[in-house]
Amino acid sequence: MALLQDIQSPADLRCLSRRQLKELADELRGFLLQSVASTGGHLSSNLGTVELSIAIHHVFQTPFDRLVWDVGHQSYPHKILTGRRDQMHTLRQFEGLSGFPKRSESEYDHFGTAHSSTSISAALGMALATRQKGEHQGPHRRRHLAVIGDGAISAGMAYEALNNAGIHKDIDLLVILNDNEMSISPPVGAMSNYLARLMTGRFYSAARELGKQVLGVVPPVLEIARRLEGGAKGLVGPGTLFEEFGFHYFGPIDGHDLDALVPALQNLRELKGPQFLHVVTKKGQGYDKAEEDPIAYHGPGKFDPAVGLVSPAKAPKPTYSKIFGDWLCDAAAADERVVAVTPAMREGSGMVEFSERFPDRYHDVAIAEQHAVTVAAGMACEGLRPVVAIYSTFLQRGYDQLIHDVALQNLPVLFAIDRAGLVGADGATHAGAYDLSYLRCIPNMVIMAPKDEPECRAMLSTGLVVDGPSAVRYPRGAGMGVEAGQSLEPLPVGKAELLRQGGEGPHRLRVALLAFGSMVAPALGAAEALNATVINMRFIKPLDLDTLAWAANHHDLLVTIEENVVAGGAGSGCAEALVAMEDRIPMIPIMHLGLPDRFIDQGDHAKLLSLEGLDAAGIEASVRRHAAQVQSKTPSSTGQSDGSAGKPGPVSLTLAS
Ligand SMILES: Cc1ncc(C[n+]2csc(CCOP(=O)(O)OP(=O)(O)O)c2C)c(N)n1
């Protein structure tokens, strides 16, 4: 730590010699490994960006120059070099450092990222703003950098940005492609094949030599500029796609070689217009276990670096992703129309086994959520039964496609929505807090949320038989520990489940808890003390109107509970439905529990839920508070909210066994 401990900001590394920068890289890599091993977090990608981070901050005048890390999961070396080394032990923990760049965290984090492929757009926007403000000329002009991976550059947004950037010849924009030939899993698609070709054979070795000559000579800038002016495209290699987009392309160069990186960046810093530097790195560089298995070390939990990752002695409860993956294999075996689409999330979505057993029916479409949705729509048009496995937050990318291409045409596409609700260490960027709100307003959708593992399977099976679009949303991590079983039996659509029949509770009010998905368990936990009725609502859409009417007719207070924002969520749906049924049910107080109208940062999932009052104790406390208010507004002390409560309802319900 001889050098690293004195680096408080990038200014400190600007005075280091090349030899010292190399020593610093070794120290930084050692620190990073120990640090991530003690907190958990993204490892492989960060081991790959050590030299690149040092070189960028050494050459460019950050924070005056703007730097955007795509996805941002590889920005830990940047965090360490920009004054946050001493906080790294708090990474991804409650009130600690974010695992991604965050504007409110540091003046060096120029743009918040986490969802991929936004960096070129953001950096271009900044460059255009610099131009508009007249700060784009002279020796002290501001530069703008986007660092994007070969996985992230597969997304449509990156091309939209390249397409737009290439026409602006008077801006300072440098796109650095950090090519490690890996997304989370091996990258797919024609672009990754193209990048691989750029790196292979004669071209790569020739380019490395030329890179040293052209990018490394001093003063090479004039030389490069002269040749560029002369239109000598392809000087450092054949004309590339990026040049067709209007960029000057340089590389590929070795992203772990500071003797190549530093002069290359110094030279590129002096050039105007859109520049593209292709840098080759190795995921997991410097830690043999991560180099050998970059997928396992993409985002590990805590581990001992000397030992590496070890399987837990006792098998953990299966995750919902695993329940989904097992169901998918069973469903595919039973029905040859079943195909599955993932936007580059094979491991996270539990689809490794499916990809191996059904390679012809498995489609990793790269980080391309919009395309994932529409390609599934096309498959559905031709009679297949596509299942799109997608995280709640990433489906936000495919929203128009969901409405316009799937729902409007009433196509039978099943969305298996993982990471619904709060997600723990990844924080606000990855919190699946909105899907119930954004799905519920779409006509034709059937939307379900399971209370446990077998119900998750049953709901997925229901989605497959529904004659239109459907979604099953389930949380990150392990389920309840209930044996999932093998069944492929669907559920009756739009039918809720009465789990507990209550009686008089706080202030002699009869309370019904209408719980959705992950909130069924805490609702049951709160119900004993409240003597409340608990209904597992199962369907967010269509809602079980008969059950709602029954609940309104037999209770004095209804409480909806969901792990989704309250705004426009499942509870709002219940309130809307009750109002629409006012001719047949009494007016009844209704309280909505769910996520608040603010972003929730990272932290332990259970702790965050408890802070939001969404554990059993929080639910009980909220209900008691609300019951007191209801009671204080009620004319009689019988606890009945109006004369009609207690009337026999239109249906009778039986308790689930
Ligand atoms: C819109 C979106 N979809 C999916 C992801 C999940 N994700 C995080 S990192 C990653 C792979 C990125 O690969 P690459 O850009 O090559 O970076 P590397 O991990 O190889 O350093 C993916 C798919 C995401 N962050 N954003």
Side-chain angles (χ1 to χ4, degrees), residues 227-516:
R227 293 186 190 184
L228 291 177
E229 271 162 26
K233 275 187 177 178
L235 180 76
V236 290
T240 65
L241 178 71
F242 305 105
E243 286 167 311
E244 303 304 327
F245 271 110
F247 280 71
H248 292 131
Y249 170 91
F250 298 96
I253 63 168
D254 181 349
H256 298 302
D257 180 1
L258 283 159
D259 288 329
L261 272 180
V262 171
L265 292 176
Q266 282 168 336
N267 295 330
L268 287 167
R269 188 185 59 193
E270 303 310 321
L271 300 178
K272 270 204 100 57
Q275 316 294 338
F276 194 101
L277 177 64
H278 188 168
V279 162
V280 181
T281 60
K282 189 166 179 52
K283 222 166 163 169
Q285 170 80 11
Y287 180 50
D288 52 355
K289 295 180 170 46
E291 284 187 22
E292 275 159 32
D293 191 352
I295 299 178
Y297 287 87
H298 180 83
K302 297 177 191 181
F303 66 98
D304 177 352
V307 180
L309 295 175
V310 282
S311 320
K314 194 170 143 242
K317 283 192 281 188
T319 60
Y320 273 108
S321 312
K322 165 97 172 82
I323 302 297
F324 162 70
D326 291 348
W327 169 84
L328 184 62
C329 290
D330 295 348
D335 182 346
E336 61 185 18
R337 299 170 307 159
V338 172
V339 287
V341 180
T342 172
M345 297 304 283
R346 183 183 65 181
E347 282 75 18
S349 295
M351 299 169 82
V352 174
E353 187 186 336
F354 180 84
S355 71
E356 289 163 358
R357 280 182 56 192
F358 302 93
D360 298 341
R361 291 151 75 180
Y362 166 75
H363 301 277
D364 178 350
V365 297
I367 310 179
E369 287 80 7
Q370 299 167 310
H371 165 64
V373 175
T374 304
V375 85
M379 292 169 174
C381 286
E382 296 302 319
L384 296 184
R385 282 291 181 154
V387 180
V388 178
I390 193 160
Y391 288 13
S392 170
T393 47
F394 299 150
L395 182 54
Q396 292 162 192
R397 276 276 165 93
Y399 194 52
D400 179 55
Q401 288 72 11
L402 174 55
I403 296 177
H404 178 270
D405 299 334
V406 176
L408 186 57
Q409 308 190 83
N410 202 25
L411 291 170
V413 177
L414 166 59
F415 293 88
I417 302 181
D418 205 330
R419 271 55 165 187
L422 298 180
V423 290
D426 277 333
T429 55
H430 283 56
Y434 317 102
D435 57 85
L436 293 185
S437 306
Y438 72 64
L439 292 173
R440 198 174 72 72
C441 55
I442 304 176
N444 292 339
M445 288 294 304
V446 171
I447 311 164
M448 298 162 266
K451 70 172 188 297
D452 61 19
E453 293 88 336
E455 194 165 89
C456 187
R457 272 186 78 98
M459 286 179 173
L460 290 162
S461 301
T462 310
L464 267 195
V465 297
V466 160
D467 193 20
S470 59
V472 181
R473 58 105 71 175
Y474 43 87
R476 181 182 192 282
M480 304 300 299
V482 181
E483 181 53 50
Q486 311 281 305
S487 169
L488 292 173
E489 260 321 288
L491 292 170
V493 173
K495 278 272 136 237
E497 179 190 39
L498 179 65
L499 292 178
R500 186 181 192 280
Q501 173 91 59
E504 279 188 356
H507 301 280
R508 300 188 56 204
L509 296 182
R510 293 160 306 159
V511 178
L513 305 178
L514 314 181
F516 292 86

Side-chain angles (χ1 to χ4, degrees), residues 573-583 585 587 590:
C574 292
E576 290 161 18
L578 288 165
V579 169
M581 294 191 288
E582 61 190 354
D583 55 332
I585 55 162
M587 289 294 281
I590 181 163

Side-chain angles (χ1 to χ4, degrees), residues 45 73 114 116 149-152 180 182-183 283 367 369 394 397:
S45 308
H73 64 313
S116 85
D150 55 300
N180 55 23
M182 282 294 275
S183 188
K283 222 166 163 169
I367 310 179
E369 287 80 7
F394 299 150
R397 276 276 165 93

